[in-house]
Amino acid sequence: ASLQAYVAGEGGGLLPASGALPDMTADTATYVQLQELYARQARADVAAVAAHAAHIASLESLPSDLAPLAELTRFCKNAPHLAVLRFRSVEEEYAADAPVAAELTRALAADDPSCAI
């Protein structure tokens, strides 16, 4: 929820900066300046996500330090790799009207071992 709040607020629709500098050709001084800029922005983004997390924790009567800064830093760094996977519940999976239920029943009832799913 804190990531969602960040993206909707400070992020302007973007995920937090990871702090990693993309591959490029640059002289050493320019590269170091860019590296410092990326790291500073990543720290600011982590601080904003941490503030959102603390606010959400306080709304839920949870300790404000529920998510340690090191974990939030790692979370923000890896945020671009997050994916939401939606699955059916076990109840939905085994419901009699589930599309695969008839096929499973037929396969389990068959004596033919080559009928494995």
Side-chain angles (χ1 to χ4, degrees):
S2 58
L3 180 62
Q4 183 180 16
Y6 171 83
V7 170
E10 298 92 331
L14 300 174
L15 292 171
S18 69
L21 191 60
D23 287 337
M24 61 169 35
T25 303
D27 60 87
T28 304
T30 303
Y31 187 84
V32 169
Q33 286 178 332
L34 281 173
Q35 194 173 33
E36 289 171 359
L37 179 69
Y38 271 65
R40 191 174 357 177
Q41 183 62 52
R43 285 191 302 273
D45 289 353
V46 168
V49 171
H52 285 295
H55 176 70
I56 292 168
S58 70
L59 292 176
E60 299 294 327
S61 301
L62 297 169
S64 61
D65 61 347
L66 188 64
L69 191 59
E71 287 185 28
L72 286 174
T73 302
R74 186 172 42 249
F75 180 79
C76 289
K77 181 180 179 181
N78 293 307
H81 308 291
L82 294 174
V84 175
L85 304 176
R86 302 200 189 276
F87 295 96
R88 295 180 294 207
S89 68
V90 173
E91 180 182 4
E92 292 168 333
E93 193 72 28
Y94 287 105
D97 62 342
V100 76
E103 185 179 342
L104 284 173
T105 304
R106 203 171 29 259
L108 291 172
D111 287 334
D112 183 10
S114 66
C115 186
I117 296 177

